[in-house]
Amino acid sequence: MTDSPSTSALSVTSHRADLGDIGIHYRRCGSAGRLLVLLHGWPQTGHCWRHLMEPLAERYTVIAPDLRGYGRSGTPGGGYDKRTTAADLSRLVRALGFTSADVVGHDRGARVAHRWALDRPADIDRLALLDVLPTREVMATIDRDSAAALWHWFFHLQPDLPEILISGNVEAYLRYFLERQCSRPGAIGEEAIAEYVAAFSRPESLHASLEDYRAGFREDLAADDRDAREGRVVTQPLLLLWGAQGGLGRADVTGIWSRYAERSSGAAIEDCKHFLPEEQPAEVLRHLREFLPGWV
C-alpha cells in the first residue's frame, strides 16, 4: 500500500469465493462490524481502492471484489449485464455472513451498484456512486458532444472488432484512458497501471469487459426503462461524488439523480477528473466518513 490518506496497521488480503457458477476474487481488510463493498470501474480491478481500504477498515469490514469477468474473478460465457453481476455480489455478501452492506461504486461498478440497489433494496443500507449519471439518462441525452466524449461506448459495442484491435496493444489503449482522464500526470501510478494491463491482457477478461459495455445497450437499458415506467427509484441514502474537472464537471449531477433517487446529496471533487479513488483518495475518504455511519 502506498500514498494512503492515513496510516494503519491493518492489511489487505486476497480471497476467492466459490459461488457455484462463478468464482469471485475479492480483497479484504479489517473485521470491524458493518460490511462495506467497494466496486471498481473500467479499465480497472478492485486494486483501484488500494488507498482507501485500510483507512475505511478502521470502522468497517471492507471488501473490494473484482466484478464478474474482471481481474481474477471468473469469466463465464455470459451474464455481463448489471443485474447478473449485482446478483453475484448479493450472494457474496451472504457467503461472508452478512445480510446487507454499505456500497460504494465507481464508473462501471457504480452502474452495477445502482442496479443492485433497485433489484435488492434490502441488501444495501447506504449507497455512494462516483462519477456517473444514470445509464438511461446518458442514453436518452446523447448528442454530438456527448457522443464524441463517449466514443469508446460505441466502439466497445461493436462485435469482435474491439477485441481484435485492443488485444495487440492493451497497454497503450488503457494508458490512453488512465492518463487522459486524470487531472495530473502519474496519478494512477506505474504499479497500478501494470496491474490493470496484466488483467486486461487476458483475452477472456478483455472480452468480458467489452461485453459489460454491450449489455449497457441491451439488457441494462431495458431494465432501466422498465424501472422508469414502474416508478422504481433508489430508496437508500445516496451520496454522489464527481470530478470537478472531468466530464461531469458542468453537469447538474444531483439534479439529474434526484429523478432516480428519493434522497441524495453530492459534491464535486476539485483537482480531479474521472478516477476519484486514485486521483483524490483523501477527499473521497473525507466525504465517505461524513456519509457512512459510525465515523462521528
Side-chain angles (χ1 to χ4, degrees):
M1 299 285 292
T2 60
D3 299 324
S4 176
S6 69
T7 59
S8 170
L10 297 165
S11 62
V12 177
T13 54
S14 180
H15 306 267
R16 187 176 181 86
D18 183 0
L19 301 181
D21 58 337
I22 190 170
I24 295 294
H25 171 261
Y26 63 97
R27 296 158 178 83
R28 178 170 180 159
C29 190
S31 57
R34 299 171 64 91
L35 181 65
L36 178 61
V37 182
L38 308 176
L39 303 178
H40 66 84
W42 186 95
Q44 297 159 298
T45 68
H47 186 68
C48 77
W49 301 104
R50 63 196 176 280
H51 303 313
L52 292 167
M53 290 192 71
E54 290 178 12
L56 287 169
E58 293 172 8
R59 302 287 179 87
Y60 273 85
T61 299
V62 181
I63 64 167
D66 292 341
L67 299 175
R68 165 184 288 246
Y70 286 79
R72 298 174 208 169
S73 287
T75 52
Y80 295 109
D81 59 283
K82 307 305 174 291
R83 173 161 286 157
T84 302
T85 302
D88 293 341
L89 300 170
S90 180
R91 289 187 292 161
L92 176 61
V93 165
R94 280 156 180 77
L96 295 175
F98 294 87
T99 57
S100 65
D102 296 316
V103 177
V104 182
H106 172 249
D107 187 77
R108 311 304 294 179
R111 302 189 188 286
V112 173
H114 182 205
R115 172 48 50 197
W116 188 5
L118 291 170
D119 283 358
R120 294 175 168 82
D123 281 8
I124 299 179
D125 300 313
R126 286 179 175 252
L127 178 65
L129 303 179
L130 277 53
D131 215 64
V132 293
L133 295 176
T135 302
R136 178 176 179 271
E137 190 75 21
V138 175
M139 296 290 192
T141 58
I142 286 176
D143 58 15
R144 181 175 59 188
D145 291 337
S146 58
L150 297 175
W151 63 268
H152 61 290
W153 284 34
F154 301 97
F155 174 53
H156 293 175
L157 172 63
Q158 307 310 311
D160 302 326
L161 182 62
E163 285 90 336
I164 294 169
L165 297 180
I166 298 170
S167 61
N169 210 345
V170 172
E171 181 174 351
Y173 193 69
L174 267 57
R175 278 186 183 275
Y176 182 90
F177 293 92
L178 295 169
E179 293 176 353
R180 283 166 175 77
Q181 294 192 48
C182 285
S183 59
R184 57 184 172 85
I188 302 294
E190 288 300 317
E191 176 268 340
I193 290 177
E195 166 83 13
Y196 304 147
V197 170
F200 288 90
S201 292
R202 292 189 284 274
E204 62 274 20
S205 295
L206 175 62
H207 172 70
S209 79
L210 297 170
E211 285 293 290
D212 174 3
Y213 276 89
R214 291 161 185 154
F217 287 83
R218 303 188 304 256
E219 301 97 319
D220 297 341
L221 185 57
D224 290 348
D225 285 341
R226 188 176 305 113
D227 285 333
R229 290 194 301 270
E230 296 175 358
R232 189 175 296 115
V233 299
V234 171
T235 56
Q236 301 88 341
L238 172 63
L239 173 67
L240 305 163
L241 300 176
W242 63 95
Q245 283 69 49
L248 301 187
R250 297 183 179 180
D252 180 13
V253 177
T254 54
I256 292 170
W257 272 103
S258 69
R259 302 194 290 271
Y260 294 84
E262 288 184 354
R263 43 188 169 157
S264 62
S265 60
I269 305 296
E270 293 295 333
D271 299 317
C272 189
K273 286 189 176 180
H274 178 60
F275 295 104
L276 280 66
E278 292 170 293
E279 290 185 76
Q280 294 292 348
E283 276 298 292
V284 173
L285 178 63
R286 181 176 69 82
H287 283 283
L288 290 178
R289 281 177 167 169
E290 292 174 356
F291 175 69
L292 297 171
W295 293 98
V296 179

